[in-house]
Amino acid sequence: MSLISKMFGDEPVDPFLSLVNKCPVLNTPTDWKETPEAHVFTADLPGLKKEEVKVEVEEGRVLQISGERKVEKEGDHKNDKWHRVERCRGKFLRRFKLPENAKTDEVKASMENGVLVVTIPKQEVKKPDKKVIEIEETKG
């Protein structure tokens, strides 16, 4: 019996879409709110420990949240008989392009009860100076 049929039964389904829709680890639902002081990302990562999650800022302005829920090896429990496998395992990756006002050198992250909170303070972005161009009158 394949892992897909173990997870979803014998009903005909698109395995990838079903896996993403039913698997919070692969889908990694994430909220992004902007407060007057910061950008705050909240991601649901049920069952994961902070050691299994990585938070990075790449290319200066891309927040990346990644990790993996490990697959149990078959040799770990030789006498176990699986009746149903519904909890997802595997790697996940989410990327968010940050706005100019994000202070990417002051990112803070915390995790409690499977909820990751990433806080990125905001900075004031200097707007380019306006230069008024005088319109000349042409004679003609």
Side-chain angles (χ1 to χ4, degrees):
M1 179 180 268
S2 76
L3 178 60
I4 297 298
S5 62
K6 281 183 184 178
M7 291 177 73
F8 303 111
D10 295 325
E11 57 196 67
V13 294
D14 179 331
F16 178 74
L17 289 178
S18 294
L19 194 62
V20 168
N21 290 335
K22 291 183 179 183
C23 185
V25 170
L26 296 179
N27 195 14
T28 316
T30 305
D31 295 338
W32 175 1
K33 75 175 175 182
E34 183 175 350
T35 70
E37 299 81 29
H39 293 276
V40 181
F41 294 82
T42 305
D44 288 342
L45 301 168
L48 291 179
K49 299 176 188 134
K50 68 178 188 171
E51 296 81 19
E52 298 169 309
V53 179
K54 187 190 277 188
V55 176
E56 303 170 284
V57 176
E58 292 188 330
E59 303 161 11
R61 296 239 165 266
V62 178
L63 174 66
Q64 180 170 296
I65 300 170
S66 61
E68 179 176 10
R69 178 177 284 155
K70 303 285 186 193
V71 177
E72 286 187 41
K73 295 180 178 57
E74 285 194 27
D76 290 349
H77 306 280
K78 289 183 181 183
N79 296 324
D80 293 351
K81 179 180 177 184
W82 291 93
H83 292 278
R84 199 145 175 92
V85 178
E86 294 182 343
R87 296 183 318 127
C88 296
R89 289 10 177 220
K91 295 181 180 184
F92 64 90
L93 171 71
R94 293 297 308 270
R95 295 169 56 97
F96 302 92
K97 184 163 176 44
L98 299 170
E100 274 187 62
N101 68 353
K103 282 185 171 180
T104 57
D105 56 337
E106 295 182 25
V107 177
K108 293 198 178 351
S110 64
M111 192 160 167
E112 186 176 348
N113 296 325
V115 178
L116 173 70
V117 177
V118 179
T119 304
I120 306 170
K122 288 168 48 176
Q123 62 189 354
E124 191 174 319
V125 177
K126 185 181 176 200
K127 296 181 181 177
D129 294 331
K130 272 189 192 176
K131 181 178 177 186
V132 177
I133 310 298
E134 191 175 320
I135 301 172
E136 296 179 13
E137 214 172 298
T138 58
K139 298 179 184 176

